Amino acid sequence: MIEHITAAAPAISVEGGRILGTVGAGGIATALTVILVAGIREPKGAAAGAAPGGQGGGGKKSRLRKRLTSDQAQWVGVAAGTLYMTAGSIWTIGKNVSDAFATVFTGGGFGQAGLGAVSLLLGGVMYFRELSPGKAALTGIVAAGVWAQAGGIWGLPQAVILTGAHAIGLL
């Protein structure tokens, strides 16, 4: 008696809407931090060894595929800062930096100022100034913490980021 066995490959599906599998807030916070560091730092040997005309030079050869613009860095910073607060653990440093920055303005030295005023200050800097990508990323991380605490319209970026992360299964 000959028996036929048919084996089929399992169907590829996105279980429970988890496009990237199980990531979690800590995992995505780590990934966004790597994106920020890789996207804003110039590779070693890239600027130091380049001679006029792009020829020669010493040092290790390395290339940067994509560099984050100032706007990209600040919004990746806002997303990272939001997920730092969600992840907790070692990522609470982002909230601590935001709290320290806000205290400078809300501590009474500038008169009666609340977190809404600090949020407006950060929003103005982010909109009207083009910072270097590194400073823009730090400003975004600080803004995420201040905006989350200020509430009102300032809480919209946090709501959008966390809702989007839940929708695609990151959290």
Side-chain angles (χ1 to χ4, degrees):
M1 176 166 157
I2 298 177
E3 200 173 305
H4 292 286
I5 298 175
T6 305
I12 297 174
S13 68
V14 178
E15 183 181 327
R18 294 191 179 275
I19 294 173
L20 298 176
T22 305
V23 179
I28 197 69
T30 303
L32 289 174
T33 303
V34 169
I35 289 169
L36 284 172
V37 171
I40 62 177
R41 288 196 52 180
E42 195 65 40
K44 290 183 178 182
Q55 299 291 324
K60 194 174 188 180
K61 301 291 182 195
S62 180
R63 293 180 13 185
L64 183 65
R65 285 187 180 192
K66 303 278 184 209
R67 184 173 175 105
L68 290 174
T69 66
S70 177
D71 287 341
Q72 291 169 337
Q74 79 184 10
W75 290 110
V76 171
V78 168
T82 299
L83 288 159
Y84 293 164
M85 291 182 292
T86 304
S89 191
I90 67 165
W91 298 112
T92 58
I93 188 74
K95 184 179 181 308
N96 295 342
V97 171
S98 295
D99 289 346
F101 180 81
T103 302
V104 169
F105 297 98
T106 60
F110 288 89
Q112 176 123 6
L115 288 174
V118 179
S119 298
L120 188 59
L121 179 143
L122 285 165
V125 168
M126 291 171 75
Y127 184 77
F128 289 107
R129 298 293 302 178
E130 185 170 349
L131 304 170
S132 69
K135 290 177 184 173
L138 182 61
T139 303
I141 292 168
V142 169
V146 172
W147 291 348
Q149 294 176 60
I153 194 169
W154 302 108
L156 284 176
Q158 179 186 29
V160 168
I161 291 165
L162 293 178
T163 301
H166 279 289
I168 61 173
L170 291 177
L171 301 178

